[in-house]
Amino acid sequence: MKQYLAEKVEAALASLGYGGQVIPVFERPKLEAHGDLTTNAAMILAKSMGKNPRAIAREIASALKLEREDVVRVEIAGPGFINFYFADSFFTRKLSVILSEGSRFGRSNTGQARKTQVEFVSANPTGPLSVGHGRQAAIGDTIANLLEWTGHDVTREYYYNNAGRQMRKLAESTYARYQQLFNASYPFPEDGYQGEYIKEVAERLKTERGDRLTAMEREAALSVCKEAAETVLFEEIKKVLARIGVRFDVFFNEDSLYTTGKLQEVVEEFRRRGLAYEKDGAVWLKATELGLDQDRVIIKSTGEPTYRLPDIAYHREKFRRGFDLIVDIFGADHVATIPDVLAGVKALGYDTEKVKVVIHQFVTLMRDGEQVKMSKRSANFVTLDELIDEVGTDAVRFFFIMRSISSHLEFDLNLAKEQSEKNPVYYLQYAHARIASILRFAESEGVIGPDRSMLASADLSLLKETSELVLVKLLLAFPEVVSSSAESLEPHRVPTYLGEVATAFHRFYHEHRVVIPDRGLAGARLALCGAAQRVLANGLQILGISAREKM
RNA sequence: GCCCCCGUAGCUCAGUUGGAUAGAGCAGCGGUUUCCUAAACCGUUGGUCGGACGUUCGAGUCGUCUCGGGGGCACCA
């Protein structure tokens, strides 16, 4: 419809001699009284022409040649908006599309099968996933879903490092806990990982290998400990991710960049371009030459790379693997590293416009109106696993997604657990279940058959009530919500929209009985119910939340 | 000192990429069920969009400054 109007308005503009000076853009007005679509083309034109916007709007409106019966009214309003009003039948007719497309309704091909990578979580296997990782997992997976729904060819990727200092510390911590099982006074490293999970790994080692590690050389034993800890922790991480419905296509090991010489290649490339130099025994990246405020070390004087070098090399690999769109999802604590990495990749000749960095803010857990203090050292550290235990997977995913990514997220544990109307997850699921119940009832009354195929043949023009039409229009907006949400990488728009759908449905349900003696109208209303259920189900699927038949 | 995010109703947050009279949920107050799920619906109270200046037909949205909260500025990741 936008397409049709755009053509007509452009033709009108051309006939008035305004051709090419403005591209008419249409949007849905906030207020229903302002029509179904509106354009501000006249106001934009007024600026460059120095004329009265309302006068131009009137010119355009009278030059419009609309032959369709779908547009019932064109109005000039406010400072110079041109508002278009469509016939109710235009909307109700399109409702059948929802039923015929079913689980595909809302999908589009705006992504044009572009090879897309979404990198998220990327936690090193040094401990259990935190609540913050949980938010990232939910955001990443939902963005990946949205990109799939808009026709991208998506790879979900997890980047991790099982080498380096942190893992060394993990090995030493595990080794110490293992030794303590035989000798309680064995010293624990000062900056070791305190968590209980380390003790569990040690116990497991004891079960599997007895005391044999105590007799081994320290380095050899450490290597066994490292491997054991890594294996156990990664299993745990994957298990928790699976609990909230997140799976990855690729686990990319940072270490592979070392063993295949990729890091060296990048350093050589920087040298060749005159962007690397040595100072104080370290290798520096001339970041100042790339527009940043200070040069950065990429290889320490010890010979070890800093995190920047592998990150740059990794991103270079992303490009080399042929991704057209690269989405990185990071927590707010990583913001500072991004400019360096992007500048480095750009210096290597890659188009960093293809990299979209999504930075999410932190999560605070609230219990009984008080903030739950979380620190890795203390005992009240809440893991993602524990959070899922407490509130369930649907609530976890919903709560992590419902706020905009750039906002701090206040996670109210009491609310998430509450099985009542206050809980926004239940509100959506209830709407879906309620519709399922209506359809079951209609079936038991013999109004529709078990396969529900007759919904598609209902006479939708019978839908004339306000609350019916409000719902119809909202349902038809779903594909646009999906595509704009995907394009802007803002998954929170989906739950916001679904909440509106649920509200519109509940209102319709409250005002009008569905299963009524008038079989024609009953059929139309059942079709509307079916369409609403479909939109809710598809939306919930994008969010990775279950759509329930009963509650 | 510098960089990033946030500041909108008592609380938690939306706000269609600069549009028309700033919205929702919760909390408060008042209503709705002989009927397909009341985990629902309706009405109502509540605002200097942190503040100042600017950009323009038009600013919650953009720019500069400022105040407050959070995060970050290593040869840690």
Side-chain angles (χ1 to χ4, degrees), chain A residues 438-474:
Chain A
I438 296 165
L439 294 175
R440 280 194 300 270
F441 179 77
E443 193 185 317
S444 72
E445 294 291 300
V447 182
I448 52 172
D451 65 345
R452 288 165 193 180
S453 59
M454 54 248 288
L455 292 183
S457 56
D459 180 3
L460 299 167
S461 68
L462 297 170
L463 299 173
K464 291 190 161 64
E465 303 291 343
T466 304
S467 59
E468 292 170 340
L469 293 167
V470 166
L471 179 57
V472 168
K473 289 178 186 180
L474 204 47

Side-chain angles (χ1 to χ4, degrees), chain A residues 270-304:
Chain A
F270 279 140
R271 284 217 168 93
R272 202 171 313 134
R273 291 171 187 258
L275 290 169
Y277 63 91
E278 295 196 29
K279 193 180 87 180
D280 307 330
V283 181
W284 295 67
L285 176 66
K286 260 189 212 170
T288 46
E289 197 126 313
L290 305 171
L292 301 177
D293 57 350
Q294 53 181 311
D295 288 351
R296 299 289 189 176
V297 170
I298 50 176
I299 298 180
K300 299 184 243 176
S301 51
T302 59
E304 290 177 293

Side-chain angles (χ1 to χ4, degrees), chain A residues 152 216 261 299 354 376 476 549:
Chain A
H152 294 76
M216 285 169 76
I299 298 180
K354 290 180 177 175
K376 284 163 212 153
L476 291 172
E549 293 291 311

Side-chain angles (χ1 to χ4, degrees), chain A residues 71-122:
Chain A
V71 181
V72 292
R73 198 148 56 95
V74 179
E75 239 178 42
I76 314 300
F81 292 101
I82 307 174
N83 297 338
F84 298 86
Y85 297 77
F86 299 164
D88 294 344
S89 61
F90 169 75
F91 296 104
T92 53
R93 202 169 56 228
K94 281 171 68 176
L95 193 61
S96 61
V97 173
I98 300 176
L99 295 167
S100 60
E101 292 192 0
S103 60
R104 295 188 318 279
F105 179 69
R107 289 188 182 266
S108 67
N109 192 30
T110 49
Q112 297 177 319
R114 277 196 292 169
K115 236 189 125 181
T116 301
Q117 184 206 48
V118 183
E119 183 213 325
F120 59 112
V121 184
S122 295

